[in-house]
Amino acid sequence: MKKQKIAALKAKREAELKKKQAVAAAGPYELSMTFSVDEVNDVVEQYREEHHLEDSEATPEHVAYSVYSGDLIICLKNLLIPLDQEWLLGIDSHYYNAETDEVMTVPVQFQMPKMNFNEFKFGSKLTVDRGHGLKTRWRGINEELNEILLADVPVGFTRVRSDAKLSCFTGFTDYSCLKEFNFVKKLIRKHGLEGVRKLNEVIAQHKEGQVV
């Protein structure tokens, strides 16, 4: 009888713990990252060429973390949150006119309905509200942004750089994802990006050893 009570108490405590963990994982959390579009493109492209990577998405974490600031990049690189989100992206594009010595900044903001991150980047069958009752298909960040800038920037201005912030309100996929997120943040605080690089090298070597 005593053993049954102990087992029942243990089961109750485990159920309570799992409930607390689920609540912690669910959030919601506001996650964001800031970056220079030009720096990201240059660093990722250079790394891709030097290491003969065909896919820019294969860029390792320590390289991505060096050009993106904020918590969101950790979640995206490690797939710790659902990729279907209501993404909010703000981009300030800075321009210069060499003839007149004028500078100008064009701010653009995209508040998206829920869509997959890759659809958000590259285009989706989903439609977005363009105002005045008009809804058309989302064509992806680059195409959408370039169309706005072509319309708003006068002739004679050259783009100097673009600074961006991407954010969303989300929960983690599960509690193990929240734990991994906190582990990576702690690793970066203690050992910097070099710590992330070394850890991923050890993991890769372990996987190779298992395959062999």
Side-chain angles (χ1 to χ4, degrees):
M1 194 69 173
K2 188 177 180 180
K3 289 183 179 180
Q4 290 179 342
K5 286 184 177 180
I6 293 174
L9 181 60
K10 182 179 179 182
K12 182 180 178 182
R13 287 177 177 173
E14 289 178 351
E16 290 175 348
L17 177 60
K18 287 183 178 180
K19 185 177 179 179
K20 289 180 180 178
Q21 291 175 342
V23 170
Y29 299 88
E30 181 179 11
L31 301 174
S32 65
M33 62 186 188
T34 58
F35 54 99
S36 162
V37 175
D38 308 273
E39 181 185 15
V40 168
N41 290 339
D42 290 345
V43 170
V44 170
E45 181 64 21
Q46 181 179 347
Y47 188 92
R48 190 182 67 81
E49 290 182 356
E50 290 177 352
H51 294 80
H52 310 291
L53 296 178
E54 294 183 4
D55 184 4
S56 62
E57 297 298 319
T59 305
E61 292 168 40
H62 70 278
V63 176
Y65 298 164
S66 73
V67 289
Y68 292 94
S69 299
D71 294 339
L72 183 55
I73 184 59
I74 296 174
C75 297
L76 294 177
K77 284 298 291 181
N78 295 283
L79 301 177
L80 304 180
I81 62 174
L83 293 183
D84 288 351
Q85 299 287 345
E86 295 179 356
W87 303 103
L88 174 61
L89 176 66
I91 303 178
D92 289 340
S93 296
H94 309 287
Y95 287 82
Y96 176 67
N97 188 317
E99 293 185 2
T100 63
D101 201 33
E102 292 178 276
V103 295
M104 69 177 294
T105 297
V106 180
V108 179
Q109 190 171 89
F110 299 101
Q111 175 70 65
M112 307 305 300
K114 182 176 285 189
M115 67 172 59
N116 186 273
F117 185 58
N118 284 331
E119 291 181 330
F120 174 56
K121 288 193 298 181
F122 304 119
S124 170
K125 294 180 180 179
L126 295 176
T127 59
V128 293
D129 190 353
R130 307 295 184 174
H132 307 289
L134 177 64
K135 291 186 177 182
T136 61
R137 185 180 65 82
W138 175 254
R139 295 165 297 171
I141 285 298
N142 286 340
E143 191 171 336
E144 296 279 351
L145 179 62
N146 289 338
E147 182 176 298
I148 293 172
L149 296 178
L150 284 173
D152 291 354
V153 178
V155 175
F157 281 82
T158 302
R159 192 182 66 82
V160 178
R161 61 179 285 134
S162 295
D163 299 308
K165 180 179 180 179
L166 178 66
S167 60
C168 67
F169 286 89
T170 182
F172 288 84
T173 302
D174 53 34
Y175 185 68
S176 65
C177 289
L178 176 58
K179 285 177 63 179
E180 183 176 347
F181 170 75
N182 289 329
F183 170 77
V184 173
K185 288 193 68 175
K186 185 177 181 181
L187 179 66
I188 294 174
R189 282 197 304 270
K190 280 193 169 184
H191 304 288
L193 299 183
E194 183 65 12
V196 176
R197 185 188 67 79
K198 288 181 178 179
L199 175 63
N200 286 334
E201 283 184 354
V202 171
I203 293 173
Q205 290 172 0
H206 177 70
K207 288 180 178 179
E208 288 176 2
Q210 287 183 326
V211 171
V212 173

